[in-house]
Amino acid sequence: MTEEGTADESQGGNDLDRTASFRRNSTQIPNANLKENGISLDHDDQLRRGLKSRHLQFMALGAAIGTGLFVGSGAILHMTGPAALWLGYISMMAVVWIVMNVIGELATYLPLKGITLPYFAQRFVDPSLAFAAGWNYWYAYSVLVAAEATAAAIVLDYWHTPVPAWVWITIILSINLLINIIAVGIFGEAEFWFASIKLITILGLIIMGLAIMLGGAPTHERLGFLYWQDPGAFKEYLVEGSTGKFLAYWKAFVLAGYSFITSPELIGLAAGETVAPRRNLPKAVRRFSWRLTIFYGLSSLVVGTIVPSNDGRLLSPESNANASPWVIALQRAEIGGMNHVINAAILTSAWSAGNAFLYSGSRVLYSMAINGQAPAVLGRTTGKGVPWVAVLATWAFGCLAYLNVSEGGATVFLWFNSLSTISGYVAWIVVLVTYLRFRAALSYRGLLDTLPFRTPLQPYASWVVLAVVSLLTLTNGFQVFVAGHWDYKTFLASYITIPAFLLLYLGHKWKSRTPWMKPVDEIDVVTGKKEMDELCADDVDPVAKNWAQRIWFWIA
């Protein structure tokens, strides 16, 4: 029995009476009646469930494995050194593991159709926080749609085609729009195969890197950890000595966030469209975590052994695969022809990530519309349940990718990346606060044992990660405060999201006049639980009939 459960028992064992009383008085709580917020418990009023476990896992992995891993890792390597790069990614993966677990618990408890993470913030914390979080999510996803479309166009330009960049951007955005409008089932299949290509590619790159490291390249040079000794495992950052090495690690930690931002949320956003959610959501959460560890843990370690941190090509002014440390490793090992394969993989990763971000942004906007936090027209759906107006609105914002056609657009593109990263950190803070309030309400009512999915180290891990992410947010651009390193553009890109979020939050708070935080005894953890229990009651794990099915069930 947990400490929280023991505390509840000491209150006299009146949990059932208290829960029944809560049901009778639920009209006193603004969010207790989901229908008043536009969420119906009737199956006919919900989005069609068409996503399976493999769709969820590959959507999240597809968003995480993108230009941040293929190109951004090279910039971190050049700036901080191989050990700092690896430690930065390992540290960020620990943060993402906790955030993913938290989202998994929330989504598995109430996998209602049409529900997204801002809705949970409204229900368990405060409507003003949900309002600010929802628009922050939508903004981040919309910006990432534009950023990934531009990255894809840049990669295509690597082959020096006569087609202008704006034509490539139009083609990329149009295909993403069609995939997201046709039906969620088609979207899930498209994302599954997009992500599959990326996963196969990164596995191939890791194997290739190990071969180069052990002397299997045409040069037959056995590198081992040579580059960790010369030029060194750490590059002193900003100042000299041990402090400079620690700052290098912290800078790598901060920058590693871009690769993971918004990817854990994809599983939570898709919970309401998932088949057998109580079975598939926990499976997706667990498998996402260990697969992410393999792909990022190994790749960040290997790339730091096959490319020295002082290689000048790591910071090439062209934003294409020439900047990828994997391409540089191939060139150093004298392996020809593979540069085109790497570029094709980066193109696929950018396209896939843009596809997932358009899906996520539209679902956030749809959820806000049906909860009265965005214009009602954004809640309209097709006959197949696709929120087409929200998809179009998110896609239209993504058309800012056309700014990158001009020379000045490249600067805007870099701003988009910085702004989406800090927005992601703010979003994680909201998620962790929401989970802690949700868990406190369950503990108060003695319902912790009813959680269908429980993860280790909670709630203590959430408190620790909340402190860490808050510190990452405040130090996102810490280098500008060091003498001689001030740059107003970097400062704005690193911190402007914070006052924007606070303006949304305080503005809504001023208008709504709601309490700063719901008292724990008024938090509704009951409505919808019975319906979800009934929905999942008859679900059973599929039984493999042969060895091929056993392998497939293990993968998917």
Side-chain angles (χ1 to χ4, degrees), residues 72-108:
S73 58
I76 301 175
L77 174 62
H78 178 86
M79 189 180 302
T80 66
L85 167 69
W86 184 64
L87 291 174
Y89 272 114
I90 291 294
S91 300
M92 187 54 65
M93 283 188 292
V95 170
V96 172
W97 177 58
I98 298 301
V99 173
M100 174 64 81
N101 285 346
V102 163
I103 293 173
E105 286 195 28
L106 286 167
T108 305

Side-chain angles (χ1 to χ4, degrees), residues 70-79 158 227 235 306-335 339:
F70 287 113
V71 180
S73 58
I76 301 175
L77 174 62
H78 178 86
M79 189 180 302
Y158 176 81
Y227 297 141
K235 294 183 70 173
I306 57 179
V307 179
S309 59
N310 60 359
D311 192 307
R313 289 170 292 181
L314 285 171
L315 290 182
S316 173
E318 293 81 19
S319 297
N320 56 32
N322 284 322
S324 171
W326 300 104
V327 171
I328 295 171
L330 290 170
Q331 294 172 340
R332 295 180 67 92
E334 299 180 4
I335 301 175
N339 57 321

Side-chain angles (χ1 to χ4, degrees), residues 344-358:
I346 297 175
L347 171 62
T348 304
S349 72
W351 208 325
S352 172
N355 196 39
F357 293 141
L358 177 56

Side-chain angles (χ1 to χ4, degrees), residues 4-125:
E4 294 165 300
T6 303
D8 283 309
E9 287 182 356
S10 67
Q11 295 180 17
N14 293 322
D15 298 323
L16 293 178
D17 293 338
R18 189 163 56 228
T19 301
S21 174
F22 178 83
R23 282 184 177 274
R24 290 193 299 269
N25 297 306
S26 62
T27 55
Q28 298 175 9
I29 303 172
N31 294 315
N33 189 342
L34 294 180
K35 291 185 179 180
E36 290 182 358
N37 288 309
I39 302 294
S40 172
L41 299 179
D42 191 315
H43 288 195
D44 294 335
D45 296 332
Q46 300 293 320
L47 294 175
R48 177 173 297 176
R49 291 183 184 264
L51 298 181
K52 301 177 182 177
S53 174
R54 61 189 175 94
H55 295 149
L56 291 177
Q57 297 173 57
F58 280 69
M59 279 168 54
L61 285 171
I65 299 177
T67 51
L69 176 60
F70 287 113
V71 180
S73 58
I76 301 175
L77 174 62
H78 178 86
M79 189 180 302
T80 66
L85 167 69
W86 184 64
L87 291 174
Y89 272 114
I90 291 294
S91 300
M92 187 54 65
M93 283 188 292
V95 170
V96 172
W97 177 58
I98 298 301
V99 173
M100 174 64 81
N101 285 346
V102 163
I103 293 173
E105 286 195 28
L106 286 167
T108 305
Y109 184 79
L110 283 176
L112 295 164
K113 296 180 181 181
I115 300 299
T116 56
L117 296 175
Y119 174 83
F120 287 127
Q122 175 174 338
R123 182 166 171 174
F124 302 138
V125 187

Side-chain angles (χ1 to χ4, degrees), residues 491-511:
F491 174 79
L492 289 175
S494 300
Y495 295 107
I496 197 172
T497 298
I498 297 176
F501 181 87
L502 291 175
L503 183 63
L504 286 168
Y505 172 72
L506 295 175
H508 187 274
K509 180 65 66 179
W510 176 80
K511 183 178 180 181

Side-chain angles (χ1 to χ4, degrees), residues 415-448:
W415 268 59
F416 284 168
N417 283 278
S418 298
L419 291 170
S420 60
T421 300
I422 190 66
S423 294
Y425 285 149
V426 171
W428 287 354
I429 291 174
V430 173
V431 167
L432 291 164
V433 170
T434 300
Y435 172 76
L436 289 169
R437 294 301 293 168
F438 163 71
R439 189 180 176 93
L442 286 177
S443 178
Y444 175 79
R445 302 191 182 283
L447 298 176
L448 273 176

Side-chain angles (χ1 to χ4, degrees), residues 63 95 121 167 260 320 338 521 538 545:
V95 170
V167 175
F260 303 95
N320 56 32
M338 288 296 293
D521 61 332
D538 297 329
K545 298 179 180 180

